[in-house]
Amino acid sequence: MADHVIPAPAQNPESEPFYAAAKEGKFMIRRCTGCKKAHWYPRAVCPFCFGDTEWEQASGEGTIYSYSPMRRAGYTIAYITLKEGPTMLTNIVGDPDALSIGQAMKISWTAAADGTPMPTWAAA
Amino acid sequence: MSINGRAYIVGAYEHPTRKAPDKSVAQLHAECARGALADAGLTKDDIDGYICAGDAPGMGPINMLDYMNLKVRYFDSTDVGGSSYIAHVAHAAQAIAMGKASVVLITLSGRPRSEGVQTGTAMRPGNPQVPDAPWESHFGPTTANVYGMVAKRHMYQYGTTSEQLAWIKVAASHHAQWNEHAMLRNVVTVEDVINSPMVSDPLHRLDCCVISDGGGALIVTSPEIARSLKRPLVKVKGAGEAPKGQFGGNVDLTFSGGAWSGPVAFAEAGIRPSDIKYASIYDSFTITVLQQIEDMGFCERGQGGKFVSDGNLISGVGKLPFNTDGGGLCNNHPANRGGITKVIEAVRQLRGEAHPKVQVPNCDLALAHGTGGLLGSRHGSATLILERE
């Protein structure tokens, strides 16, 4: 698993504040100021009601919804359902043979090729 | 207003090549167009509508129309990945029903095999303006692993097994043995599939489709022109299309957009899933077939594993003969887009022109359904119901 390096993230103006906060160790999600629902991936316009959204710091706790290790490539893709509700596509770090759907997870930052901290997950 | 009975498929052609390092992509498109016209008994000058998708080199339909020197009064380039061409038949039927065209050509071609594309496992750099890219592309959602997550969830939620998924490949291989153009003609067993190398857990190498060069083309026309030709009449009876994504984070991997496109198509056709004699089901992976069989209503949700087992998809053996050309799993997945070959084999079945070993007796109603994009993140589904008159 050690050989796999996460590439530097593609960036646009909607994502830049997330990675700026990540550099301070904060895992941020967005929530609608109108309907109050949290969503993922973060958007400026609420995907539920088209209202305005704002950043909030999330707990960094979640559970595995599904996952699939590509052992030869050395990484495990996963959907993690956040404590706040939404489910995010991500990578799980650690032994893929020790994982199961429903398992409790916590955020575990991994440096990308350019050093950007990436929101990956590990067993809680 | 409906397209039911307003258009017919009169030309269907699958390029025989599976590896074409000596041909350009545009050339493959044109060779497919020529083949479909010959099949229909029409000529180049009869074409007045053209539809292609993202595999066509250039800007939408413009460069291919110029290459083939076609003068049309209708064009479309809806691109929803591999299912595009199933939706294209419906779009062609709509254009014909509205009098905007009378003979519509649809083409697909590509050379991923010659170009050495690692279709299923290669990470792709993210375009930062694709809205999900800044959140996902670096995590390596390739193709195999996103479908792997769907399979993993199906197993967790419904008790589906690798052996049940393997039956889908086994059935495809039983059909492919009779197809002289198929890439994989050896009949395989459940054990062969589950003992093949793991690509992305729980999907093995033999759970995946082939990577092939090639292409195909279709000709859709009006009832009047169809009746003037010498080919069996294959009527467009119903169609549906639907996108599915992550719902703002409310991810649900237990169904595809087919759960919406299927019922729309069945309603327009005025028939039920149990009326279908033959089904072309998009088979990028075994799990793709299993989930879409549930979405089409051929069995209850969660029962797909049981449904596909014991040869139930094998022509002459089971209740739902599927992909009798060998499908993408064994025959052909040109340009990494299997939608057009799904329609072509359905047309062969309805005409009675499938291989005699896999021809479904009295095949009068067929379905072609596909998923384009990624089953486990975001995709476009398209369903088409065809009837032999």
Side-chain angles (χ1 to χ4, degrees), chain B residues 2 8 34 60 63 89 158 174 191 194 215-216 232 248 321 347 360 365:
Chain B
S2 163
Y8 289 70
R34 189 168 61 188
N63 300 72
V89 174
Y158 302 118
H174 272 265
E191 289 69 32
I194 62 176
V347 169
V360 176
L365 280 168

Side-chain angles (χ1 to χ4, degrees), chain A residues 66-68 77-79, chain B residues 145-153 253:
Chain A
S66 196
Y67 67 103
S68 180
I77 202 150
Y79 275 120
Chain B
N145 59 6
V146 176
Y147 286 70
M149 285 197 288
V150 177
K152 199 93 171 170
R153 185 72 198 184
L253 297 184

